[in-house]
Amino acid sequence: MKKLIYYMLFCFSAITLFAACEKDNITNAHFDENPNRQEEVVSNLKKAMASSPNGWVMMVKSSLSEDVYTPIVLQFDTVLNKVQITTVYGMTSETDDFFRVTKGTGSPQLIFTTGSIMSTLFRIGATASDITDHIYNVIAVSDDEIQIQPYRSGMVYSKEGGVIYKMFKRPDDWTWANQKIEFDWTSDEFKTNINSVIGEMKLDYQNDTPDKTVEWRFWTWSNPYAYQSRDPFSINANIGTGGFKPNYYFIIAGGVTNQVNTTVTLGHNAISMYPFVYNTGTNQAVVALKNNIKSHYLTFKSITRNGANVKMEFEAYGKDGNVILKASYDNKR
């Protein structure tokens, strides 16, 4: 009899615990019980968006790197519902991208238009990011942080809920995200004393990776759009515009690539070492380069010219937007 009573008490406790946990996991409950809560969150979200004129940052995980995360900068115009999306993978198209905030089922939702960079990253998959939808549930809003979560964890038939992104205001010193292009390989003036010059790059890691200095040579193709037909972010590979301009390509060579001419992409004020399949050798060379420096991009920070001598500073970032790699280029002239 005592065993039966203990067994019944155990079952009751387990059921109670399960019910309590289950209730905690239902995010809709708070909104259902507080019908005005959604309007409040929507209002706070729009205020927060407008409070950061330089934009908000999502740090997304790419399968290309273990510790380096990709920054996505979102500048919201809450009057026109436009969003300017900037990332290291390529130059943002001049076409307008839009967003809207709606009262979803249980929680407000932030929705980006298809054909934007956000939907392009979702379609391309894990190589570019862990973004799994262009629709996001709004989890929490404060003055300094916006938490959003992709509605789906994968493609259309996947279960709900992806990674929760804790967006933060764009740091003032992230000048690479400004719309003005300073790292401009389309400019002959910029390329002076850089193009086809053997220099070096000092890689200063802010984690346990040993620092190193490598021979580094920049070089441009005679046709920098030669690989455009294989551009993974173009209309050829995606529905809609893809959100990016046709990619511009240049070459990195020298000791860092074992003297192999390695074609990389001109990102938005950044070197993008995103692999693209033109042929096996091309793809393998890009992968080898990003593995060598342990980052799939370098954002441009500054350039200093002193006569023929040119020095440039670059950075890459970790999960929370902290600097994880500082890189210093010197053409040694």
Side-chain angles (χ1 to χ4, degrees):
M1 184 66 179
K2 286 184 178 180
K3 288 184 178 180
L4 178 59
I5 292 173
Y6 288 147
Y7 177 77
M8 292 175 65
L9 288 172
F10 173 80
C11 291
F12 177 78
S13 299
I15 292 170
T16 302
L17 178 61
F18 177 82
C21 293
E22 182 72 14
K23 183 176 181 181
D24 288 343
N25 289 331
I26 298 175
T27 58
N28 295 357
H30 184 72
F31 291 104
D32 292 340
E33 295 165 6
N34 300 271
N36 295 325
R37 178 60 177 158
Q38 282 216 46
E39 286 81 356
E40 183 181 345
V41 173
V42 168
S43 176
N44 290 341
L45 175 62
K46 291 182 176 180
K47 288 178 182 177
M49 287 175 166
S51 71
S52 182
N54 286 333
W56 289 83
V57 182
M58 293 173 63
M59 298 303 298
V60 301
K61 180 80 166 88
S62 163
S63 62
L64 297 174
S65 179
E66 184 64 30
D67 297 321
V68 174
Y69 279 60
T70 302
I72 310 293
V73 179
L74 305 164
Q75 290 176 276
F76 296 100
D77 182 334
T78 56
V79 175
L80 299 177
N81 283 343
K82 289 184 180 180
V83 57
Q84 177 72 34
I85 305 169
T86 305
T87 185
V88 298
Y89 290 130
M91 307 291 288
T92 303
S93 171
E94 293 173 352
T95 57
D96 291 331
D97 288 331
F98 295 88
F99 74 95
R100 59 193 174 98
V101 178
T102 66
K103 291 191 295 182
T105 304
S107 66
Q109 290 183 328
L110 172 60
I111 303 173
F112 296 94
T113 51
T114 56
S116 69
I117 286 175
M118 300 300 283
S119 57
T120 295
L121 296 177
F122 156 49
R123 292 189 185 104
I124 287 178
T127 308
S129 74
D130 51 4
I131 291 174
T132 52
D133 207 338
H134 67 283
I135 301 172
Y136 295 81
N137 287 329
V138 179
I139 305 300
V141 180
S142 69
D143 292 341
D144 298 314
E145 183 177 274
I146 299 173
Q147 293 187 29
I148 59 175
Q149 181 182 36
Y151 179 68
R152 290 182 292 251
S153 62
M155 302 309 287
V156 66
Y157 296 111
S158 297
K159 65 181 181 179
E160 292 186 11
V163 176
I164 294 178
Y165 298 103
K166 297 181 179 180
M167 295 198 297
F168 55 89
K169 292 180 178 179
R170 194 196 101 181
D172 290 337
D173 64 348
W174 281 24
T175 54
W176 68 268
N178 293 340
Q179 291 310 300
K180 185 178 180 181
I181 301 302
E182 303 284 355
F183 188 65
D184 187 4
W185 279 92
T186 68
S187 165
D188 290 335
E189 181 180 358
F190 173 82
K191 289 185 288 188
T192 301
N193 292 319
I194 301 175
N195 187 36
S196 199
V197 174
I198 297 176
E200 67 179 24
M201 186 80 82
K202 179 181 178 182
L203 302 168
D204 181 8
Y205 296 92
Q206 308 300 296
N207 54 15
D208 295 333
T209 303
D211 298 343
K212 60 182 177 181
T213 299
V214 292
E215 185 185 69
W216 191 285
R217 178 189 176 203
F218 287 110
W219 180 34
T220 53
W221 283 105
S222 57
N223 177 9
Y225 298 98
Y227 293 106
Q228 182 179 332
S229 62
R230 305 302 175 97
D231 180 353
F233 300 104
S234 75
I235 192 171
N236 297 318
N238 288 282
I239 301 169
T241 62
F244 292 94
K245 292 181 179 180
N247 271 341
Y248 183 104
Y249 294 95
F250 58 100
I251 292 170
I252 293 174
V256 69
T257 65
N258 197 26
Q259 306 304 326
V260 173
N261 293 339
T262 301
T263 302
V264 297
T265 309
L266 178 61
H268 187 99
N269 284 318
I271 304 169
S272 175
M273 286 153 278
Y274 188 93
F276 60 98
V277 180
Y278 184 77
N279 56 47
T280 302
T282 299
N283 193 61
Q284 289 178 343
V286 178
V287 172
L289 174 58
K290 66 94 180 173
N291 285 345
N292 189 345
I293 71 169
K294 298 190 182 304
S295 179
H296 57 288
Y297 69 86
L298 290 172
T299 60
F300 174 77
K301 192 168 179 66
S302 65
I303 184 169
T304 304
R305 294 180 182 270
N306 184 10
N309 180 242
V310 180
K311 295 181 179 179
M312 291 186 283
E313 302 293 327
F314 299 86
E315 291 180 341
Y317 310 103
K319 183 177 182 179
D320 299 320
N322 53 300
V323 177
I324 200 168
L325 168 60
K326 294 181 179 180
S328 303
Y329 167 82
D330 191 331
N331 73 345
K332 306 303 290 183
R333 287 190 172 187

